[in-house]
Amino acid sequence: MSDAAERHRLQIEAWNGPMGVQWATNEGRTERNLTPVTQALLKAAAPQPGEHVLDIGCGCGGSSVAFAAAVGPTGHVLGADVSAPMIEVAKATALPGMDFVLADAAAHAFSPDSVDLLISRFGVMFFGDPDAAFANIRRALKPTGRVAFACWRPLAENPWVRVPMTALRAALPSMPPPGGPEDPGPFAFGDQARVARILTHGGFAAPSFEKFEFNMRFPADPVVAATGIVMIGPAGRVLRDLPEEAKTVAIAAVAEAITPYIAGDIIALPGAVWLVTTTPV
Ligand SMILES: C[S@@+](CC[C@H](N)C(=O)[O-])C[C@H]1O[C@@H](n2cnc3c(N)ncnc32)[C@H](O)[C@@H]1O
């Protein structure tokens, strides 16, 4: 198996394991947190009534619902995700004019030339083989189609992960090292040059990048907030296997690091996003 294929297999395994279950369980909180990103993505993508939208890595379907409202009763949204626990949540929220499919973006036989607008809210950075995935979803787009997705800017610009991650690494020597530049993960599309390379290789025009910033909001109790933060990301995998005592120490370290971000009745940690748009060539 090639490195890319193995990376891809591991991602599918992870999103169908405890991490996917955790995302499915926390769907309501995640959706409230990411509403500003959905609004910004709607603005960048400008969906029109009657359009057909494909939402890649739709997760529990929050962005799909927002785009379904925008394209109206004559439009259609297909949400595709490789995580069984998350797509089950999405299916339960489906409205008329929406469908959800458990599908790997790199391999699924989407209906060719059927999509006006391809979108993703934080889904495309997790492709183990992004070249294969973009080449595959490109075939679903009409020649007149458009692409708009939201991805995280580099870790250094995202205190909502950088702050807890730095504290965790100091507290937990067993934390795996950060991924390499070609590894899938939340910050895999932080580098504009890499994103441009993948998209142009996949048959798209040189993309435009727009910056968007917002606050990720967590409960004001730092220990409650820290527990939620560490369990949704890759750190969750390490923490789940730790003895209770070590877990408590790690969460206390994260809680201390995020305490300065208490803002009234929440903890507000800044997040920085790219809104990427392009068209097929
Ligand atoms: C960070 S979550 C974002 C979910 C959702 N878009 C949201 O904003 O709440 C990343 C999503 O990408 C999905 N994903 C990862 N690799 C995928 C692939 N090859 N094909 C389809 N979905 C994939 C995961 O299952 C997960 O639901």
Side-chain angles (χ1 to χ4, degrees), residues 17-267:
M19 184 166 72
V21 172
Q22 192 84 28
W23 272 75
T25 310
N26 287 325
E27 180 266 330
R29 186 182 308 156
T30 305
E31 208 41 55
R32 282 192 294 282
N33 249 330
L34 298 185
T35 296
V37 181
T38 309
Q39 297 305 324
L41 185 59
L42 278 165
K43 202 163 158 236
Q48 301 301 308
E51 284 194 322
H52 284 221
V53 178
L54 174 58
D55 185 356
I56 289 290
C58 65
C60 301
S63 48
S64 309
V65 170
F67 275 78
V71 298
T74 56
H76 184 265
V77 176
L78 174 64
D81 200 285
V82 82
S83 167
M86 293 169 78
I87 210 79
E88 282 313 309
V89 175
K91 281 180 177 170
T93 66
L95 302 168
M98 296 172 69
D99 286 294
F100 290 101
V101 60
L102 178 65
D104 175 359
H108 186 73
F110 295 106
S111 182
D113 292 347
S114 63
V115 171
D116 299 292
L117 178 58
L118 184 86
I119 63 145
S120 181
R121 191 186 71 184
F122 302 132
V124 292
M125 314 91 86
F126 297 93
F127 297 152
D129 186 346
D131 288 345
F134 274 101
N136 189 47
I137 52 184
R138 158 86 177 72
R139 287 189 273 278
L141 263 182
K142 295 177 183 174
T144 52
R146 328 188 287 293
V147 177
F149 61 80
C151 56
W152 297 109
R153 302 211 307 261
L155 175 66
E157 295 176 50
N158 275 286
W160 81 274
V161 177
R162 193 196 68 229
V163 170
M165 192 57 89
T166 305
L168 262 187
R169 286 198 186 288
L172 278 186
S174 59
M175 278 283 290
E182 296 299 324
D183 284 334
F187 303 104
F189 273 26
D191 176 11
Q192 288 172 279
R194 177 167 192 258
V195 176
R197 187 198 80 208
I198 290 167
L199 288 172
T200 50
H201 187 264
F204 297 94
S208 298
F209 293 85
E210 185 191 337
K211 286 184 171 181
F212 177 71
E213 282 102 23
F214 73 115
N215 281 326
M216 290 286 277
R217 299 156 65 91
F218 300 95
D221 180 329
V223 173
V224 174
T227 309
I229 292 171
V230 296
M231 294 315 274
I232 56 170
R237 247 173 287 170
V238 179
L239 255 81
R240 265 184 287 274
D241 296 337
L242 285 181
E244 267 325 298
E245 202 178 310
K247 212 181 282 182
T248 307
V249 170
I251 288 174
V254 173
E256 190 184 341
I258 62 177
T259 295
Y261 293 87
I262 294 175
D265 60 354
I266 58 161
I267 290 178

